[in-house]
Structure formats: structure tokens, C-alpha cells
Amino acid sequence: MHDKILILDFGSQVTQLIARRVREAHVYCEIHPCDVSDEFVRNFGAKGIILSGSHASVYEESTDHAPQAVFELGVPVLGICYGMQTMAHQLGGKVEAGHQREFGFAAVRARGHTKLLNGIQDFETEEGHGMLHVWMSHGDKVTELPPGFKLMASTESCPIAGMADEVRNFYAVQFHPEVTHTVQGAAMLQRFVLDICAASPDWIMGNYIEEAVAKIREQVGDEEVILGLSGGVDSSVAAALIHRAIGDQLTCVFVDHGLLRLNEGQMVMDMFAGRLHAKVVHVDASEQFLGKLTGVSDPEAKRKIIGREFVEVFQSEAAKLKQAKWLAQGTIYPDVIESGGAKTKKAVTIKSHHNVGGLPETLGLKLLEPLRDLFKDEVRELGVALGLPHDMVYRHPFPGPGLGVRILGEVKREYADLLRRADAIFIDELRAAGWYEKTSQAFTVFLPVKSVGVMGDGRTYEYVVALRAVETQDFMTAHWAELPHSLLGKVSNRIINEVRGINRVVYDISGKPPATIEWE
């Protein structure tokens, strides 16, 4: 059994980042809603507990508090932002509404050397005070320390920016160590889980394979499993892991909806049927999908049609596999957290996920989700450890509806063919210039407008494509990638010369927010 950290979520949009930082320290952790029972907390077996931030105020009557057991278990506790306020409030301190909201960068002075911050600093003042560059996001603040606590950090506008009771191993900070803007944040969280909680750093993907394989074999027994292979990272790693566990008891169904990237279908077949010798049923359903999309230009309508047709094709294939008792999906931990968050009303739901409860229960199959405890970066590590090619595992995200949402307006086969070739050139040149790994997502968008151009002695009236490349840590916010002009020029030249039907290339320099990463 792994040592584990319990993270109680009070509804912050960045709670997932706390878990990712803990996992980066190779310590297993789980996120659960803050209103779990005392009994749940006592039975969880945590080596330590972290209380997340929130958008609420602790002194409102209806507000969430941490289960009392958190402070009675005798394990270290770290409160972050709202987590600090509820800790102060519940242990006899005072929290008040701030006169001004503090949002953004702040320089925090570390005081009263505690185990949490000892030796961790970004710079020193002339007076020799250790300072930290941190990210603040709060309105309320602690104005009186609870009994037994001492001051650990302060800023000019927030005199109590950190507090500690080292007898009970309770620590709390008003800033957010989980976001990258807090420069030493990862070091603080590692100090908490590895040193203060003394958790074993044994959560390592190479070692995890054996554990996961044993679990799959135990769950499935001698029954058969069917998996919808999309060519994306999650379903590919799930397929490789399940195949490692049960071999020919797994059948993958690869549905080609005609909206995949260039040669993607062939690549998936070469990898899974060719190299892994897995059973793969390849269904070319492009006529069916493109036929249903004729005349449809609304993005949400397109998504629904593609999702519905996929289910239909998959169901008809599943019906042929009479022995299958399990449906395997590439659900990963963020999907589980976000879908769960909606149920508890703690976090604001941003979008529904296609693979959590995506395929209908009418299939009558039991669900196998071997990646549901893993974050995306862990899934990638696992894929490499399973022997999948680095280029396949570290490919940029690709939407479920494929090029259907990268062709603006109506989807036509002609548009998909033009876009596939233009996109392949863009990715090819990014890789050649060493920019593919530096960007988090890069792709081409087909615009259903025509513009006038000149080629040789003649005028052209052809289509326009937009290039999009972004850099992001968490996909919640993103900056457009400042690609060299010479690289953009080369991509543009190649697309216009090699893809007949496109005579203009533009580059998207919108950030997220206000734009989204995808165009639809």
C-alpha cells in the first residue's frame, strides 16, 4: 500500500494543481469534497491532510468547514488560502473581511523559522529578511491567531499571511503554493509531504505497471473486454496497459470518423495491431459521419452528432462481440474530479466530459477504467514505461470530435482533406525546428472563407487557414506561442505551395482568456 495524502476540496478552481504537485513529489494523494464525514477522514489512512482554497467566506453561516476529525487525527495539516481561514476559525482564531481584495503577485516575508519554510526563500532584504514571491487570491484574512499558533509569514496588506502550530504540525498559508506563480511553491509542498508528513515517495509509474496489471486481472478474471480506441493518449495507454494484463481477452474498436489527422488511422493500426499484436477492429465510418454533418454549422450540434454517431457505430460493433462483459475507457483523474465536483456543487462545472458516463448503459457492460487515478502527465509516463513511442504519448491534445471542430461552420470532406495536409505541414515544421515540445498545443484551423491571391501570372480565389500554437501549464489559462517569424514564414510558404486550394495563412495571437484554445 502507498502512503497517501488526503486533499479536501472547498471548491477552488486550482485544487487539482495541489494534487499534481504532491504527485510530482512521487506521493499518492486523492481529492475529496470538504464535506466528507469524520468517519471517512478517520478511515482514509492519510499521512497528512491539505485543505484547499475556495471562493467562499468562512464567517458566513452556510459556509463549509473542515470535518472536526481533521484536527483530531494527529497527522500534519496544511491549510491553503480558505483552508488557512477555516483552520483559524475552527481552532479559535479570528477571520474578517479584508478591506481590499489581494489578487496577484506579492512578496511575503517568512518569519519565525518553521519546518515548512526553513531555508526556502527567493531573495533577502537589506535587513536580512527571507522573502518569497507568491500568488495571492483572497478577500478575507486571518486577524487573530488561534491559541498555540505563531506567525509564519506576512505581507504589508496581510499581516498574518502564514501561521504554524509546530507542536501539532498544523501549518497554513494565505497564498497559493500550488500555482507556478509562487516560485518556491513546489518546494513548500514537497517539504510538507516528504519531511513533515514523512510520506514515502513510492508513487512511480514504472513500478505502478505491475500493480495496475494485477488489479485488472483480478477485476476481469477470464472475461472479455472491449475498448473504443480513438488514437488519443488516454485510450492508447489504457489499451496498452489492459493488453499487457489480459492479452487476447481485449478487443479494441477503432472508429475512423473521417476527421482524424493525416495518416492517423494507419499509425494506430501499425502500433496496436502491428507492434503490440492486439486485436483491433478498424471501422471506416467516414461516409456515415460526414453524411450526418452535411449542412450543420453550429459547433455544439456538430459535437452532438459526432458523439451520437460514435456511440451508434461502437454499439453495433460491440453487439458482434458476444463474449464481451467489460467496457474499457480511458477516463483519467481530472475527468473524475470534475464530474464529481459537479455533483457536490463545490466546484463550478466548466464542461461535461465525453468519457465519464459517455457510452450508454444500454450496452449492459461493466466499466473498466484503469487510468482513473492518474493525471495526464502520469498517463504519459505510464505510456512510455509500457513501451509506446514517445512521439505518440507526448502528442498534443486532440479533441474527441477531431477536425470536426477545427473546420469552422459546415464540415465537408474537401475541407477535411485540405486541413489534414495543412496541419501535417505545420506540425512537421514545428518538430523540425524544435518547437513542438515547447508548445502545449498546436494545430491548424480551416476557415470557410475565400480570399483573392496571386500565383504565377494568375489570380486565385481560395481558402484561408489559421495556425494556432499556445503555451500553458494547466490549460486553464494559455499564452499564444511567440514562434519565430522565419518559422511561420516557412510554414505559410509550404502550405500555400503544397496544398492546392489554400492561398492565405494567418496566425492566431489570442490568449486564453478571453479566447479559448480551440476555435469551436
Side-chain angles (χ1 to χ4, degrees):
M1 281 293 289
H2 299 278
D3 282 349
K4 51 190 181 177
I5 300 292
L6 171 61
I7 298 167
L8 292 179
D9 180 22
F10 288 87
S12 163
Q13 292 291 355
V14 290
T15 302
Q16 275 193 40
L17 295 182
I18 303 173
R20 283 183 53 191
R21 299 287 167 265
V22 173
R23 298 273 185 99
E24 281 164 13
H26 298 297
V27 175
Y28 182 70
C29 62
E30 287 179 15
I31 296 174
H32 289 278
C34 62
D35 53 6
V36 291
S37 66
D38 283 332
E39 188 185 11
F40 176 89
V41 173
R42 281 193 288 268
N43 294 338
F44 184 80
K47 290 284 283 186
I49 298 173
I50 300 177
L51 309 175
S52 87
S54 170
H55 45 75
S57 288
V58 287
Y59 48 77
E60 289 171 7
E61 298 241 331
S62 60
T63 307
D64 293 305
H65 294 142
Q68 201 49 39
V70 166
F71 305 112
E72 295 166 358
L73 264 188
V75 301
V77 182
L78 172 65
I80 294 174
C81 193
Y82 179 93
M84 165 160 159
Q85 293 163 17
T86 198
M87 182 188 284
H89 185 70
Q90 290 180 245
L91 297 179
K94 248 194 196 150
V95 179
E96 291 174 17
H99 298 300
Q100 63 189 85
R101 206 176 143 66
E102 197 173 10
F103 182 80
F105 284 107
V108 164
R109 177 179 161 189
R111 294 170 176 268
H113 291 297
T114 57
K115 251 190 272 180
L116 184 70
L117 298 182
N118 194 19
I120 296 177
Q121 63 180 50
D122 287 308
F123 68 99
E124 250 181 43
T125 63
E126 286 173 7
E127 302 82 41
H129 301 315
M131 302 293 287
L132 295 160
H133 287 301
V134 304
W135 183 259
M136 290 279 196
S137 175
H138 68 101
D140 306 336
K141 55 191 177 187
V142 176
T143 53
E144 200 177 291
L145 293 169
F149 278 77
K150 64 177 180 180
L151 186 63
M152 181 168 71
S154 62
T155 71
E156 278 180 26
S157 59
C158 185
I160 304 177
M163 61 181 198
D165 174 344
E166 296 208 278
V167 175
R168 291 184 285 178
N169 272 328
F170 293 167
Y171 297 85
V173 291
Q174 188 54 70
F175 52 87
H176 287 269
E178 69 272 32
V179 301
T180 48
H181 305 73
T182 297
V183 183
Q184 301 290 341
M188 290 174 211
L189 286 166
Q190 285 194 15
R191 171 74 56 82
F192 179 70
V193 298
L194 297 175
D195 298 348
I196 295 171
C197 299
S200 299
D202 60 1
W203 181 249
I204 295 156
M205 286 304 99
N207 307 345
Y208 175 68
I209 294 173
E210 227 171 280
E211 206 176 300
V213 160
K215 198 171 163 188
I216 292 165
R217 285 178 182 157
E218 189 187 335
Q219 241 183 309
V220 171
D222 57 2
E223 294 174 338
E224 295 204 2
V225 178
I226 180 171
L227 176 140
L229 191 58
S230 68
V233 175
D234 303 337
S235 70
S236 298
V237 174
L241 179 61
I242 296 166
H243 184 259
R244 168 81 62 99
I246 58 169
D248 277 355
Q249 287 168 250
L250 170 70
T251 302
C252 299
V253 176
F254 175 49
V255 179
D256 183 347
H257 47 31
L259 300 166
L260 296 170
R261 289 168 282 198
L262 193 67
N263 303 327
E264 191 161 21
Q266 195 50 53
M267 190 180 97
V268 170
M269 291 307 292
D270 289 349
M271 182 65 225
F272 286 93
R275 277 179 55 179
L276 289 182
H277 306 298
K279 286 199 289 194
V280 185
V281 177
H282 187 182
V283 187
D284 181 357
S286 54
E287 291 291 333
Q288 178 179 334
F289 278 85
L290 292 167
K292 287 285 192 328
L293 288 165
T294 304
V296 180
S297 57
D298 177 69
E300 202 49 39
K302 290 194 292 186
R303 282 177 187 277
K304 285 202 168 85
I305 289 167
I306 293 167
R308 190 183 66 223
E309 294 307 307
F310 176 81
V311 168
E312 200 170 288
V313 173
F314 190 86
Q315 271 185 299
S316 72
E317 290 304 321
K320 297 174 193 170
L321 299 163
K322 302 275 186 255
Q323 304 308 309
K325 296 281 183 285
W326 293 85
L327 170 68
Q329 294 194 145
T331 310
I332 66 173
Y333 198 39
D335 303 336
V336 175
I337 299 165
E338 285 172 25
S339 302
K343 287 191 201 80
T344 63
K345 303 287 182 286
K346 291 287 168 264
V348 184
T349 306
I350 308 294
K351 58 179 177 178
S352 57
H353 284 275
H354 62 275
N355 57 347
V356 177
L359 284 162
E361 285 160 9
T362 48
L363 284 170
L365 300 172
K366 296 176 280 189
L367 210 51
L368 179 65
E369 297 175 314
L371 310 180
R372 65 177 288 124
D373 292 335
L374 307 184
F375 282 103
K376 191 73 162 196
D377 39 0
E378 294 171 320
V379 171
R380 293 188 200 279
E381 281 176 43
L382 181 62
V384 171
L386 283 164
L388 293 177
H390 183 276
D391 281 0
M392 181 184 207
V393 171
Y394 281 88
R395 272 207 311 181
H396 291 171
F398 188 58
L403 301 181
V405 289
R406 290 181 179 173
I407 294 168
L408 302 196
E410 186 184 1
V411 177
K412 295 183 180 176
R413 189 180 285 277
E414 173 206 356
Y415 297 169
D417 289 339
L418 289 173
L419 178 55
R420 248 189 284 277
R421 290 162 57 210
D423 187 66
I425 290 169
F426 183 30
I427 300 304
D428 190 33
E429 289 299 337
L430 283 176
R431 285 193 190 281
W435 268 93
Y436 187 79
E437 299 275 345
K438 292 181 202 167
T439 55
S440 312
Q441 196 162 359
F443 55 92
T444 310
V445 179
F446 182 88
L447 309 183
V449 291
K450 284 187 165 182
S451 76
V452 174
V454 180
M455 289 192 96
D457 296 331
R459 275 161 59 89
T460 59
Y461 189 53
E462 292 174 340
Y463 292 107
V464 182
V465 292
L467 308 178
R468 176 79 159 141
V470 299
E471 294 171 3
T472 176
Q473 287 285 329
D474 51 24
F475 290 89
M476 292 173 185
T477 61
H479 295 287
W480 60 277
E482 297 186 33
L483 300 180
H485 291 176
S486 55
L487 173 57
L488 289 169
K490 190 175 182 187
V491 172
S492 173
N493 276 344
R494 276 197 62 193
I495 290 174
I496 291 167
N497 284 315
E498 295 174 34
V499 186
R500 291 292 302 274
I502 295 170
N503 70 356
R504 193 175 295 266
V505 176
V506 299
Y507 188 52
D508 177 356
I509 57 166
S510 322
K512 175 186 179 179
T516 51
I517 292 175
E518 295 282 349
W519 277 41
E520 282 195 344

